[in-house]
C-alpha cells in the first residue's frame, strides 16, 4: 500500500538551504533567538530530522514588534508611494517564479505533500496572490460624501474618507499550506502599507523562511516583514497578547482562535480576523453527473490528505444512489498511492506530524467505537512515516464525533438523505460554516441550495476552486472576516472620515 519510503533527494540548492542554520528575520537581519534555543523540524515521510530552527519566544516577539512599529511609523515604508509598494510586491512574485521547484521541494519535505502538487498548486497560487495584491496597492480609495448636518442651517462642508493601513499586524499561520498561507496573509498587509510580524507554524517553518530571503532580495525596507519561528503557546501567544500589535490575522483551529480573541480582549482590543475550522457538507443531488460528482467527492476530502479547513468531510448522497457513490469514492480511495511527497508516483503523502497522525487515528477509533464502519481504510499503515489510509465511513449518526468534529485527515463520512429540507437541516447542523458544495445538473436547484447552506463558500459542480480575487472565510465558528479579494484589503485598512467647513 505504501510506496517505498526512499524517494529522490532534493536538488542541491534546496538541500543547502534546508541544512543551513535557520534564524529569525527581525528588522532586516537574520538573528538567533534571544535565548539561543533552537528546535528540530521533521520529515513526516520517515520521521527523520530535517532542520534546526531558532525558537523565538516573548523576547523575540517584543523585538520583532518594535521593529515593525518603527518601520510603520517612520523610515522608507510609509514614505513609499502605492505604486512603489505594488512594484516591490510584484518583484517578490517574480523572484518566487524563479524558485518554484525549490519551494515545491521544501514544502514537500517539510509538510509531506506531493512535490508535484506543491509545484502545481501551492507555489503558483502564492505567486498569483502576490501579483493580485500588488495591483490593489494603487487602488485603495476613499469616497467623497455629500453631508447635510441638519442642525447647522446654511453651513457647507466637504467630507471624504481615507482608507489607512491598520498598522502593525501579527500574523499566525498553520502548517497545511505553509507558503500559501504566508502569501494570503502577507499580500494584503503589504499592499495596504501595514508592517508584519509573521509567526509560522512550528511543524513547517522552512518555506516562509525561504520567502523571507526573497523579501530581502526584493528590497523591502527592514522591519516591514519580520518572521518569528517558535511555538504557539509561547511565540504565538506573546504576539496575540502584545499591546503594540494593532491587528492579529490568524488561521488555525477554532480552539486557538478563541484564545486569540481572549488575548486581544484582555490587552488592547486589537482587531482580529480568523480563518478557522470546518466540517464542510458536500452534497450530491439525485440528478448529478455521478462520475464527476464521485471524482469531485474524492478530491474534496483527499486533496492535501484531508488537511484542508474546507475539506468535504461530510458527503451527503440521496439514498437511491448512496451505495453507488460510496463504492465509487472507495474505488477512488483505493487508487491513491501513499508515499513520500518527493516520490514521483505518490498521490498522497503522510500527515504533517505524529501528533496529527495520532489525532486522526483517534477519530477513526472513536468512530469505530460509536458504530461507524470503514468501507475502505480506517487505520494507519505500518511505516516510519506519519501515514493514514484514505478512509470512507458509513453507518454514522449525527451525534458522532466523526460527524461533529473536524478530523483534518483523509476521512470522509458518507450520509444518506431522503429529501432536500432534511438535507439542508443536516448540512447546516454544525458549529462550522466554512465551505460546501452541491452537485446537480439543475441550475436552479444549485442556486437554491447555495442560498440555504450557511457557509462562506459554496461550490456548484466543482470543489476546491480558489482564486486570489475570491473572498474566502467562514460563517459561524469558522471565522471572522475574509482572506483574499477586495475584502482582505478592507480588513487591513481602516476608514477615516475627514470634514472641512467651506461656509
Ligand atoms: P494545529 O492544532 O492543527 O497545529 P493550531 O491552531 O494549534 O493548529 O495552530 C495554528 C497556528 O497557531 C500555529 O502557528 C501555532 O503555533 C499557533 N498557535 C497554537 N497555539 C497558540 C496560542 N495559544 N496562541 C497563539 N498561537 C497559537
Amino acid at each position: 500500500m505504501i510506496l517505498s519510503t526512499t524517494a529522490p533527494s532534493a536538488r542541491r540548492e534546496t538541500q543547502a538551504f534546508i541544512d543551513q542554520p535557520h534564524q529569525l528575520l527581525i528588522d532586516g537581519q537574520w538573528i538567533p533567538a534571544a535565548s539561543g534555543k533552537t528546535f528540530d523540524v521533521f520529515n513526516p515521510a520517515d520521521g527523520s530530522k530535517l532542520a534546526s530552527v531558532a525558537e523565538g519566544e516573548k523576547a523575540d516577539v517584543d523585538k520583532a514588534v518594535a521593529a515593525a512599529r518603527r518601520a510603520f511609523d517612520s523610515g522608507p515604508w510609509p514614505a513609499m508611494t502605492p505604486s512603489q509598494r505594488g512594484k516591490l510586491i510584484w518583484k517578490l512574485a517574480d523572484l518566487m517564479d524563479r524558485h518554484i521547484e525549490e519551494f515545491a521541494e521544501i514544502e514537500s519535505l517539510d509538510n509531506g505533500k506531493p512535490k508535484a502538487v506543491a509545484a502545481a498548486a501551492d507555489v503558483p497560487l502564492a505567486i498569483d496572490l502576490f501579483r493580485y495584491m500588488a495591483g490593489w496597492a494603487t487602488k485603495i480609495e476613499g469616497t467623497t460624501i455629500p453631508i447635510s448636518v441638519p442642525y447647522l442651517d446654511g453651513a457647507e462642508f466637504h467630507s471624504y474618507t481615507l482608507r489607512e493601513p491598520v498598522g502593525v499586524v501579527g500574523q499566525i499561520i498553520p502548517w497545511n499550506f505553509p507558503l500559501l498561507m504566508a502569501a494570503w496573509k502577507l499580500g494584503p498587509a503589504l499592499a495596504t502599507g501595514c508592517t508584519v510580524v509573521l509567526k509560522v507554524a512550528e511543524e513547517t517553518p522552512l518555506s516562509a523562511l525561504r520567502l523571507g530571503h526573497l523579501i530581502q532580495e526584493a528590497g523591502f525596507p527592514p522591519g516591514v516583514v519580520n518572521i518569528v519561528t517558535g511555538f504557539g503557546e509561547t511565540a504565538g501567544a506573546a504576539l496575540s497578547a502584545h499591546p503594540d500589535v494593532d491587528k492579529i490575522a490568524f488561521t488555525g483551529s477554532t480552539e486557538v482562535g478563541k484564545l486569540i480573541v481572549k488575548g486581544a480582549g484582555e490587552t488592547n482590543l486589537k482587531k482580529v480576523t480568523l480563518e478557522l475550522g470546518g466540517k464542510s457538507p458536500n452534497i450530491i443531488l439525485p440528478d448529478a453527473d455521478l462520475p464527476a460528482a464521485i471524482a469531485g467527492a474524492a478530491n474534496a476530502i483527499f486533496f492535501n490528505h484531508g488537511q484542508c479547513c474546507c475539506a468535504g468531510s461530510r458527503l451527503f448522497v440521496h439514498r437511491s444512489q448512496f451505495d453507488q457513490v460510496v463504492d465509487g469514492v472507495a474505488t477512488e480511495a483505493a487508487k491513491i498511492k501513499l508515499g513520500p511527497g518527493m516520490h514521483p508516483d505518490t498521490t498522497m503523502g503522510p500527515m504533517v506530524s505524529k501528533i496529527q497522525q495520532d489525532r486522526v487515528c483517534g477519530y477513526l477509533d472513536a468512530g469505530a467505537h460509536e458504530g461507524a464502519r470503514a468501507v475502505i481504510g480506517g487505520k494507519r499503515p505500518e511505516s516510519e512515516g506519519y501515514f493514514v489510509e484514505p478512509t470512507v465511513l458509513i453507518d454514522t449518526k449525527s451525534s458522532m464525533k466523526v460527524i461533529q468534529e473536524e478530523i483534518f485527515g483523509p476521512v470522509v463520512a458518507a450520509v444518506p438523505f431522503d429529501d432536500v429540507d432534511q438535507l439542508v437541516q443536516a448540512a447546516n447542523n454544525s458549529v462550522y460554516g466554512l465551505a460546501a458544495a452541491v452537485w446537480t445538473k439543475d441550475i436552479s436547484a444549485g442556486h437554491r441550495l447555495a442560498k440555504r447552506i450557511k457557509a462562506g463558500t459554496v461550490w456548484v459542480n466543482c470543489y476546491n476552486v480558489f482564486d486570489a480575487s475570491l473572498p474566502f472565510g467562514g460563517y459561524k465558528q469558522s471565522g471572522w472576516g475574509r482572506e483574499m479579494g477586495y475584502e482582505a484589503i478592507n480588513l487591513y485598512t481602516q476608514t477615516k472620515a475627514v470634514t472641512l467647513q467651506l461656509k
Side-chain angles (χ1 to χ4, degrees):
M1 180 99 187
I2 295 200
L3 296 168
S4 128
T5 47
T6 52
S9 343
R11 289 136 39 111
R12 207 147 19 101
E13 60 174 353
T14 309
Q15 200 55 52
F17 169 74
I18 289 174
D19 291 342
Q20 75 181 45
H22 296 286
Q23 300 186 313
L24 314 172
L25 178 60
I26 296 180
D27 211 8
Q29 304 291 322
W30 293 98
I31 56 169
S35 66
K37 285 199 273 187
T38 61
F39 65 99
D40 293 340
V41 293
F42 300 94
N43 178 346
D46 58 12
S48 63
K49 177 182 162 185
L50 186 62
S52 183
V53 177
E55 185 181 335
E57 294 173 317
K58 184 175 180 306
D60 308 287
V61 167
D62 287 346
K63 240 191 255 178
V65 171
R69 173 59 59 199
R70 277 194 303 277
F72 183 76
D73 288 340
S74 55
W77 185 241
M80 273 188 189
T81 64
S83 164
Q84 287 168 329
R85 274 204 316 272
K87 268 191 205 151
L88 270 183
I89 301 170
W90 194 279
K91 188 168 172 195
L92 175 62
D94 282 347
L95 289 172
M96 292 172 76
D97 247 343
R98 292 193 218 143
H99 296 273
I100 292 179
E101 281 291 297
E102 186 189 350
F103 273 118
E105 289 184 341
I106 293 171
E107 218 64 326
S108 176
L109 288 164
D110 205 7
N111 164 281
K113 64 181 69 196
K115 177 186 152 191
V117 172
D122 299 57
V123 187
L125 279 171
I127 294 170
D128 199 51
L129 188 289
F130 280 120
R131 293 220 169 95
Y132 171 86
M133 289 297 173
W136 270 119
T138 47
K139 297 164 196 69
I140 299 165
E141 298 170 347
T143 48
T144 55
I145 303 174
I147 62 171
S148 306
V149 201
Y151 55 86
L152 290 176
D153 202 20
E156 278 182 27
F157 299 93
H158 173 59
S159 290
Y160 60 93
T161 59
L162 296 172
R163 291 210 66 95
E164 297 185 330
V166 158
V168 173
V169 184
Q171 304 185 317
I172 302 176
I173 57 171
W175 44 257
N176 55 344
F177 295 92
L179 180 70
L180 186 58
M181 292 302 100
W184 281 18
K185 293 278 183 277
L186 290 172
L190 297 173
T192 51
C194 294
T195 59
V196 174
V197 177
L198 177 69
K199 207 303 270 172
V200 296
E202 50 270 43
E203 295 85 353
T204 55
L206 299 180
S207 55
L209 292 173
R210 186 70 188 93
L211 184 67
H213 288 275
L214 296 188
I215 285 169
Q216 287 190 300
E217 194 178 330
F220 284 87
V224 171
V225 177
N226 305 276
I227 304 178
V228 176
T229 46
F231 293 93
E233 303 73 28
T234 48
L239 188 57
S240 48
H242 202 292
D244 206 24
V245 168
D246 299 304
K247 167 183 163 106
I248 287 280
F250 170 76
T251 299
S253 59
T254 295
E255 190 191 349
V256 173
K258 288 180 181 175
L259 291 176
I260 289 193
V261 170
K262 194 159 169 262
E266 284 171 357
T267 51
N268 60 344
L269 275 184
K270 54 178 71 67
K271 290 165 179 55
V272 176
T273 49
L274 305 168
E275 203 253 277
L276 307 174
K279 193 74 187 173
S280 299
N282 186 19
I283 298 162
I284 302 183
L285 293 183
D287 72 330
D289 171 349
L290 271 198
I294 288 168
N299 164 53
I301 186 64
F302 298 134
F303 175 66
N304 211 42
H305 329 164
Q307 300 171 135
C308 298
C309 40
C310 59
S313 51
R314 292 181 298 148
L315 176 61
F316 291 96
V317 188
H318 193 263
R319 198 174 297 279
S320 62
Q321 289 160 329
F322 187 74
D323 292 345
Q324 192 185 347
V325 169
V326 167
D327 281 354
V329 178
T331 304
E332 294 295 320
K335 289 185 208 157
I336 289 172
K337 293 198 176 93
L338 283 177
M342 291 294 286
H343 195 297
D345 297 333
T346 291
T347 52
M348 184 186 285
M351 300 287 96
V352 72
S353 63
K354 178 84 174 67
I355 290 175
Q356 187 59 19
Q357 183 196 35
D358 288 345
R359 203 182 279 167
V360 174
C361 291
Y363 277 110
L364 292 174
D365 293 344
H369 182 70
E370 290 183 298
R373 189 155 62 86
V375 292
I376 187 164
K379 56 184 190 320
R380 70 183 88 198
E382 278 290 307
S383 171
E384 298 284 283
Y386 312 138
F387 296 93
V388 174
E389 292 175 354
T391 300
V392 179
L393 298 177
I394 58 169
D395 297 343
T396 57
K397 292 200 184 66
S398 61
S399 57
M400 288 181 181
K401 276 175 81 160
V402 290
I403 293 290
Q404 289 298 331
E405 296 181 23
E406 183 177 48
I407 297 177
F408 226 64
V411 183
V412 63
V415 180
F417 70 87
D418 296 298
D419 71 73
V420 169
D421 288 338
Q422 175 222 347
L423 161 74
V424 169
Q425 198 274 333
N428 285 333
N429 180 17
S430 170
V431 298
Y432 297 114
L434 191 58
V438 182
W439 298 83
T440 178
K441 287 192 193 129
D442 177 344
I443 292 174
S444 304
H447 284 298
R448 275 198 306 273
L449 263 184
K451 257 183 119 165
R452 294 180 71 187
I453 300 294
K454 294 190 172 72
T457 289
V458 180
W459 290 293
V460 180
N461 293 332
C462 56
Y463 209 99
N464 282 333
V465 176
F466 291 96
D467 191 84
S469 60
L470 265 181
F472 180 77
Y475 280 32
K476 299 193 265 183
Q477 292 188 39
S478 287
W480 290 352
R482 294 292 177 269
E483 309 264 15
M484 302 194 286
Y486 182 64
E487 297 221 18
I489 293 290
N490 248 340
L491 290 164
Y492 282 87
T493 55
Q494 48 197 348
T495 303
K496 179 180 282 174
V498 181
T499 296
L500 286 76
Q501 182 152 9
L502 303 177
K503 191 160 87 111

